[in-house]
Amino acid sequence: MALQNDSFLQACRGVRPAHTPVWMMRQAGRYLPEYRAIRAKVSFNELCRTPELCAEVTLQPIDILGVDAAILFSDILVVFDALGVPVIFDPAPRIESPVRTAADVARLRWGDPREDVAYVYGAIRACKAALADRVPLIGFCGAPFTTLSYLVEGGGSKTFEHVKGLIFREPVVFAGLMEKMTDLLITYLKGQVDAGVDALQVFDSWAGALAPEDYREHVLPHLHRLVTEVQTAGVPVILFARGNANILADVATIPADVLGIDWSIGMDRAIDVVGAERVVQGNLDPTLLLSNKALIERRARAIVESGRRAKAHIFNLGHGISKHTDPALAKHMIQVVQSA
Ligand code: 1CP
């Protein structure tokens, strides 16, 4: 079926569409009153497990803001259902018994996401039906390192000392975990393609926790395998590694279709680093959406102008939208980009 608006997919394939396509990381979420109204009735876990509600929430930013792509409403940590590890969302994720010792590792179940997380595939089918080919649907997962970070730290972290301790003290155990997590995520993402997603994004949100040489040695080979194996399923893959622009050149060695750029580097400089033959996505500092129309317009236009030098550019924020954002200002940004 042909999409009514395929500007996002054209850009993913390196073709420049008539306008710069735009979507926002975390575009379905707490800054939208319509989302909060649903969350007042159901928990986050229940929402993720109810395909019809996932579809409703996924479509909110399409209807309210007019973005050029939808991203499945879910979370990077629901895949822990396949490991037999429960996650509490409070709203930040927390794991009661983090995986830190050899005995903890032995307890992991390594099930089949196609069965254990079947509700995600149900949500994808519900989203595709509700979208009726208006815009493409993006599926996603956390990258192996970011996913393992939550498993080992037991939640978010400022220092990442547990997961880094594991890397430095038990590199063989860590490599084995990365290997298995990568296999699991490949199966999970290929299942998302079978269920109907049009593109995939891999979030390495905590890439910046590691020094460049450690990222190169302990993370990059697994990420490379994940991206290239998933690409064989036939949809474009966006790779977003956040938190340290110093690793961008290394990340760019992975042949992802699109490279996500975080807000810590100017878009001009990022294109110099990754090369003008690559497709880039990004990178307005989400905190700028807490300012005013004039400042948002000036900064968004500058990014669109810089992006013209890349093979193609998908406008996005340089990380997830803040829950304090006024939806009217987000909508203003989207209209500025689409008419620039
Ligand atoms: O409703 C609520 O109160 C829960 C808040 C919430 C939401 C709206 C969480 C808990 N997850 C989500 C949805 C979510 N998470 C999406 C939905 C699709 C979208 O609109 O973009 C996506 C893509 C994610 C991905 C995600 N979850 C990431 C990667 C992106 C990023 O921000 O770097 C990460 C790191 C998570 C973990 C997570 N889940 C929830 C929170 C609050 C967090 C971050 C916590 C932390 O900082 O450690």
Side-chain angles (χ1 to χ4, degrees):
M1 259 289 226
L3 287 159
Q4 287 159 37
N5 172 358
D6 71 345
S7 56
F8 165 81
L9 283 180
Q10 282 183 39
C12 286
R13 298 291 189 200
V15 176
R16 284 200 156 268
H19 72 262
T20 302
V22 50
W23 68 281
M24 298 184 298
M25 288 186 271
R26 301 288 198 101
Q27 66 189 13
R30 286 175 289 174
Y31 73 104
L32 289 177
E34 294 83 353
Y35 173 81
R36 292 197 301 269
I38 290 182
R39 278 283 282 106
K41 291 182 269 179
V42 297
S43 71
F44 181 74
N45 261 325
E46 197 178 336
L47 177 49
C48 289
R49 285 163 179 73
T50 313
E52 297 69 36
L53 289 179
C54 284
E56 185 175 343
V57 166
T58 298
L59 265 71
Q60 284 175 348
I62 316 305
D63 295 329
I64 299 165
L65 305 175
V67 286
D68 295 300
I71 179 159
L72 169 70
F73 188 83
S74 188
D75 194 81
I76 60 168
L77 300 183
V78 299
V79 76
F80 287 177
D81 280 2
L83 303 179
V85 174
V87 183
I88 300 151
F89 288 95
D90 189 12
R94 191 158 46 81
I95 289 157
E96 299 271 76
S97 33
V99 174
R100 293 183 184 159
T101 65
D104 296 335
V105 173
R107 266 198 300 276
L108 296 172
R109 197 161 61 80
W110 303 106
D112 182 352
R114 289 174 194 260
E115 286 162 23
D116 300 324
V117 208
Y119 56 86
V120 171
Y121 304 128
I124 290 169
R125 288 187 291 268
C127 286
K128 284 298 286 180
L131 281 167
D133 293 312
R134 286 164 63 196
V135 293
L137 178 67
I138 305 168
F140 67 91
C141 74
F145 173 67
T146 289
T147 310
L148 272 184
S149 293
Y150 280 100
L151 197 64
V152 177
E153 297 291 336
S157 173
K158 284 196 164 65
T159 58
F160 294 89
E161 53 193 9
H162 295 292
V163 69
K164 291 173 77 171
L166 185 65
I167 294 176
F168 299 141
R169 280 195 306 266
E170 304 275 6
V172 177
V173 173
F174 178 77
L177 276 172
M178 285 289 276
E179 197 72 32
K180 286 186 124 161
M181 185 59 80
T182 302
D183 289 339
L184 184 83
L185 293 169
I186 288 169
T187 307
Y188 180 50
L189 290 184
K190 285 186 169 171
Q192 293 190 24
V193 176
D194 291 341
V197 300
D198 301 289
L200 289 164
Q201 176 154 323
V202 178
F203 288 93
D204 212 354
S205 300
W206 300 125
L210 292 175
E213 66 176 303
D214 296 315
Y215 194 75
R216 271 195 295 273
E217 180 177 345
H218 300 286
V219 175
L220 219 50
H222 304 279
L223 201 49
H224 191 286
R225 182 165 74 89
L226 174 78
V227 169
T228 52
E229 279 204 28
V230 166
Q231 278 172 322
T232 64
V235 306
V237 177
I238 307 167
L239 175 58
F240 176 64
R242 184 186 72 88
N244 184 353
N246 282 317
I247 61 171
L248 193 51
D250 294 306
V251 172
T253 62
I254 298 178
D257 299 272
V258 181
L259 294 167
I261 309 296
D262 77 12
W263 55 265
S264 70
I265 181 170
M267 185 51 94
D268 255 326
R269 170 105 183 87
I271 294 168
D272 286 340
V273 173
V274 305
E277 73 289 350
R278 299 299 288 273
V279 180
V280 289
Q281 174 177 282
N283 75 339
L284 188 85
D285 181 344
T287 317
L288 272 161
L289 287 183
L290 307 181
S291 67
N292 56 69
K293 283 190 173 180
L295 181 57
I296 291 167
E297 188 160 338
R298 180 158 63 80
R299 296 290 291 270
R301 278 187 199 284
I303 291 170
V304 171
E305 283 315 312
S306 300
R308 297 200 198 281
R309 201 156 54 80
K311 179 146 192 212
H313 173 215
I314 298 159
F315 193 98
N316 204 315
L317 303 176
H319 194 199
I321 191 167
S322 157
K323 69 173 177 190
H324 302 295
T325 305
D326 174 356
L329 288 177
K331 185 167 186 170
H332 183 68
M333 179 200 81
I334 286 152
Q335 290 173 339
V336 165
V337 172
Q338 289 170 336
S339 59

